[in-house]
């Protein structure tokens, strides 16, 4: 799933390539991608893109005097930029293509989604806060005003485990499964530690790990073409997706805990005092 750093990089890329250009056609291929109907999708056609914004993991194209085109790439979605779009309208079928946006220059982008869940979403709205997911977002962790005091206030009384709290978009916007693993590894904290149990010193450590991990990921992604962002993300991860490999900090073997639809990775030496966490899925299989 694209998270804050990748969506920020896409925002910068689209700012460079879209702003000042006119959207001439928006061609939906998968009807499931459309989450609004008024204004219609065609309301952005014939309008110039004047700015591109990011709200958590949402991308927001602002048009001159018209509605906003907002998209969330979900778990398996992606944006593919093309300097020259194929001739003719795309044909509906079984492929991953969900929607195409064409500019007056002949360039544009495709939104695609792999798999069968079909959670990729497109909204056409007068105000981005009309999108329910944006209206519910917590603060952006890279915003100038998001300081340690603000972070501590969010965690005060939070009874969930750190992994779940960091991924909650209503608490903090933009952090997903991969970067929550990376943040907790950098902070040397167990993903199962309760947020409310943190001492002031631990809260400061986690805040610094949050900001540093995301800032470094944004800097790695800056200037990377849209088509290479996925591989750039993967290459920069220390623990997420690296089960069985040595921890780059201590050399211990990176372990995994599996859930029904996701998994987390961590280093026992760095994060849990050398004790492996119970893998609930494997425990059930062994009974």
């Amino acid at each position: 799933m694209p998270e804050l750093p990748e969506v920020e990089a896409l925002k910068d890329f689209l700012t460079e390539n879209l702003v000042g250009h006119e959207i001439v056609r928006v061609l939906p291929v998968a009807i499931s991608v459309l989450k609004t109907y008024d204004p219609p999708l065609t309301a952005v056609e014939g309008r110039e893109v004047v700015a591109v914004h990011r709200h958590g993991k949402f991308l927001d194209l602002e048009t001159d005097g018209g509605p906003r085109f907002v998209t969330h790439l979900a778990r398996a979605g992606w944006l593919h930029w093309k300097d020259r779009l194929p001739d003719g309208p795309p044909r509906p079928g079984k492929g991953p293509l969900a929607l195409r946006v064409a500019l007056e220059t002949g360039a544009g982008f495709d939104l695609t989604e792999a798999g069968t869940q079909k959670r990729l979403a497109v909204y056409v709205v007068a105000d981005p806060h009309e999108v329910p997911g944006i209206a519910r977002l917590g603060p952006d962790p890279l915003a100038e005003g998001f300081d340690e005091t603000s972070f501590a206030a969010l965690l005060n009384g939070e009874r969930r485990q750190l992994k779940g709290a960091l991924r909650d978009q209503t608490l903090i916007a933009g952090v997903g499964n991969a970067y929550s693993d990376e943040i907790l590894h950098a902070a040397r904290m167990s993903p199962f530690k309760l947020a409310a149990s943190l001492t002031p010193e631990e809260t400061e450590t986690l805040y610094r790990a949050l900001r540093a991990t995301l800032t470094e990921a944004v800097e790695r992604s800056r200037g990377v073409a849209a088509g290479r962002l996925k591989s750039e993300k993967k290459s920069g991860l220390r623990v997420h997706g690296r089960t069985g490999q040595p921890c780059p900090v201590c050399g211990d073997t990176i372990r995994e805990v599996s859930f029904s639809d996701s998994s987390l990775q961590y280093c026992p030496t760095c994060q849990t005092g050398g004790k492996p966490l119970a893998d609930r899925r494997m425990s059930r299989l062994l009974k």
Side-chain angles (χ1 to χ4, degrees):
M1 175 186 288
E3 299 179 37
L4 185 156
E6 295 78 51
V7 179
E8 180 72 12
L10 284 173
K11 183 205 76 172
D12 292 344
F13 178 86
L14 292 177
T15 296
E16 181 179 346
N17 290 277
L18 276 184
V19 171
H21 292 290
E22 177 188 334
I23 296 174
V24 293
R25 292 293 302 276
V26 182
L27 302 163
V29 177
I31 299 301
S32 62
V33 76
L34 302 177
K35 305 305 179 185
T36 56
Y37 63 91
D38 186 22
L41 193 59
T42 54
V44 298
E45 294 181 348
R47 297 190 181 276
E48 178 185 327
V49 179
V50 296
V52 182
H53 310 274
R54 178 184 62 78
H55 313 278
K57 302 177 190 176
F58 290 83
L59 278 170
D60 168 16
L61 311 186
E62 180 181 354
T63 64
D64 184 17
R68 313 282 274 260
F69 177 99
V70 178
T71 184
H72 188 286
L73 297 173
R75 175 175 292 185
W78 197 247
L79 185 150
H80 301 268
W81 179 263
K82 298 180 183 297
D83 292 327
R84 183 71 189 181
L85 289 171
D87 294 330
R91 295 181 179 180
K94 296 182 179 180
L97 181 60
L99 183 140
R100 175 168 291 165
V101 174
L103 305 180
E104 89 286 359
T105 60
F109 62 85
D110 287 342
L111 295 180
T112 64
E113 184 173 24
T116 60
Q117 292 189 335
K118 305 306 178 189
R119 295 179 179 176
L120 189 150
V122 169
Y123 309 81
V124 178
V125 291
D127 185 310
H129 287 88
E130 294 175 22
V131 176
I134 292 178
R136 295 193 298 265
L137 284 176
D140 192 294
L142 294 187
E144 289 186 8
F146 188 75
D147 56 16
E148 185 185 333
T149 301
S150 303
F151 182 61
L154 291 178
L155 296 184
N156 184 33
E158 177 58 64
R159 298 301 304 173
R160 285 176 295 177
Q161 296 167 341
L162 288 177
K163 173 73 176 180
L166 288 174
R167 292 185 63 187
D168 182 353
Q169 300 304 294
T170 67
L171 191 72
I172 302 171
V175 178
N177 195 31
Y179 286 108
S180 56
D181 283 352
E182 296 299 299
I183 290 163
L184 291 168
H185 179 256
R188 303 179 72 88
M189 293 182 185
S190 169
F192 291 169
K193 186 178 181 67
L194 292 179
S197 72
L198 295 181
T199 66
E201 292 76 17
E202 288 173 328
T203 300
E204 178 183 2
T205 297
L206 184 59
Y207 170 76
R208 294 185 182 280
L210 169 72
R211 295 274 289 198
T213 299
L214 295 177
T215 299
E216 290 168 7
V218 168
E219 289 302 315
R220 285 197 310 270
S221 300
R222 197 177 302 280
V224 176
R228 302 205 324 270
L229 282 170
K230 284 185 180 180
S231 58
E232 173 58 36
K233 174 182 180 178
K234 186 175 181 179
S235 69
L237 299 176
R238 292 188 167 196
V239 292
H240 184 79
R242 300 191 180 279
T243 303
Q245 298 181 28
C247 170
V249 174
C250 71
D252 194 0
T253 301
I254 294 170
R255 307 292 183 94
E256 176 176 306
V257 177
S258 300
F259 303 96
S260 59
D261 62 348
S262 65
S263 63
L264 66 82
Q265 287 80 42
Y266 69 99
C267 170
T269 295
C270 291
Q271 296 175 254
T272 60
K275 180 181 178 181
L277 299 172
D279 187 332
R280 293 175 174 83
R281 187 172 66 177
M282 289 303 299
S283 297
R284 289 197 300 270
L285 291 173
L286 293 172
K287 286 182 179 179

